[in-house]
Amino acid sequence: MPHSVVHLLGVPFAIIAGTGAGVFALLCWGIFRDSPFGTAIALLSVGMVALTIYHTMLLVVEPESLVLHVLRSAANTIIAIFVGLLILRHRQLRHGRAGGEGAWSD
């Protein structure tokens, strides 16, 4: 499949934008590592890297390759774990407030 100029320019843009987003996510994780959402932010940064690799490879190789199916599955699994951790943390915080404890206590 011949690539157009827009596709060829999109590859470096996807790599640069994804790398910047991944770095910012890791910096946020460094700041919020001890907060209730630290693990969720770490998983989000890993998911962002997986999605960046997936979208870059989608621009370069054919859309129906096995590698892209594996990357898509890994990214969706990371997103599902991320959402599950957020729900679990939300319930823990709500239970902590109902028990008379502070929201940030262990």
Side-chain angles (χ1 to χ4, degrees):
M1 168 176 139
H3 295 291
S4 67
V5 175
V6 175
H7 282 98
L8 295 177
L9 290 176
V11 172
F13 178 75
I15 292 172
I16 292 169
T19 303
V23 168
F24 286 138
L26 288 174
L27 289 174
C28 287
W29 176 71
I31 294 170
F32 297 114
R33 143 182 22 196
D34 296 328
S35 74
F37 297 106
T39 306
I41 291 174
L43 280 172
L44 180 63
S45 65
V46 171
M48 290 173 73
V49 169
L51 285 174
T52 300
I53 293 170
Y54 169 74
H55 285 106
T56 303
M57 288 185 66
L58 188 63
L59 290 172
V60 174
V61 299
E62 65 181 51
E64 294 299 322
S65 68
L66 178 64
V67 174
L68 289 179
H69 286 295
V70 170
L71 279 174
R72 185 182 314 135
S73 176
N76 288 335
T77 303
I78 291 170
I79 291 170
I81 293 171
F82 172 76
V83 171
L85 280 174
L86 286 180
I87 292 170
L88 180 67
R89 185 59 71 178
H90 176 71
R91 288 185 179 182
Q92 287 175 349
L93 289 175
R94 180 178 277 180
H95 179 67
R97 285 186 183 170
E101 298 176 8
W104 300 105
S105 65
D106 289 329

